[in-house]
Amino acid sequence: MKTLLGKKIGMTQIFTEDGQVVPVTVVEAGPEVVTQIKTVETDGYNAVQVGYEDQKAHRVNKPMTGHYEKAGVAPKKHLAEFRIEDGETYELGQEITVADFEEGMKIDITGISKGKGTQGNIKRHGHHRGPMSHGSKHKRLAGALAAGTYPSRVFKGNKAPGRMGRDKITVQNVVLVKVIADRNLMLVKGAVPGKKGGVVRIRPAIKGQDK
């Protein structure tokens, strides 16, 4: 199943032919090149490794330099791989672009969500705040964690303050509204995880694909 790496550019809106407004996220996807072909004989499974975005040669260590030279491609910043389905064939150095995806199809997009640092219960978990009256002393605190006598401990998995964001998130069944092949752009309906400039992974939807 083809996988395409790209960068989130930002959000905008477009108009359909019947005048409806569609919010879209602009993704600069690819082009990426095949850097390795994995087989059952050599690696235990069939897959294709792809590289995205050129990297300066002096920033690549010697083992990876040899890896790219073997494939006959320039050093890349980002690597990913995807499993090969029956009938799919690839060659080293082959390019995969947005032209391999059709407008109107559904795709899954994976990205790293925005990091928000350490946050309290209210922002992190949506808990209610305490009374705001004068002297309550309990406006945005976490509250009781457990009973004192029994069980005399805090259960694992309690929703507590802590790090928020910077998680791997996949949005499924996103509609690919428009493909601008000459600029390597995809316009997908709705929001996409991550910040502007963040790397995302795009592939055909696993569930809900129209047949």
Side-chain angles (χ1 to χ4, degrees), residues 31-82:
E32 63 186 15
V33 294
V34 176
T35 55
Q36 184 181 1
I37 298 175
K38 298 187 176 183
T39 62
V40 175
E41 292 76 17
T42 58
D43 302 278
Y45 63 99
N46 294 320
V48 170
Q49 184 191 84
V50 292
Y52 169 66
E53 197 174 4
D54 289 341
Q55 174 69 285
K56 293 180 179 179
H58 71 273
R59 291 182 176 173
V60 181
N61 60 24
K62 288 185 178 180
M64 290 306 299
T65 298
H67 181 69
Y68 293 123
E69 288 177 351
K70 183 178 180 181
V73 300
K76 301 296 179 181
K77 284 185 180 181
H78 310 286
L79 291 176
E81 70 174 48
F82 57 90

Side-chain angles (χ1 to χ4, degrees), residues 129-146:
R129 59 168 172 77
M132 297 298 285
S133 58
H134 178 68
S136 70
K137 299 181 181 180
H138 196 283
K139 294 177 173 61
R140 296 179 68 91
L141 298 181
L145 298 179

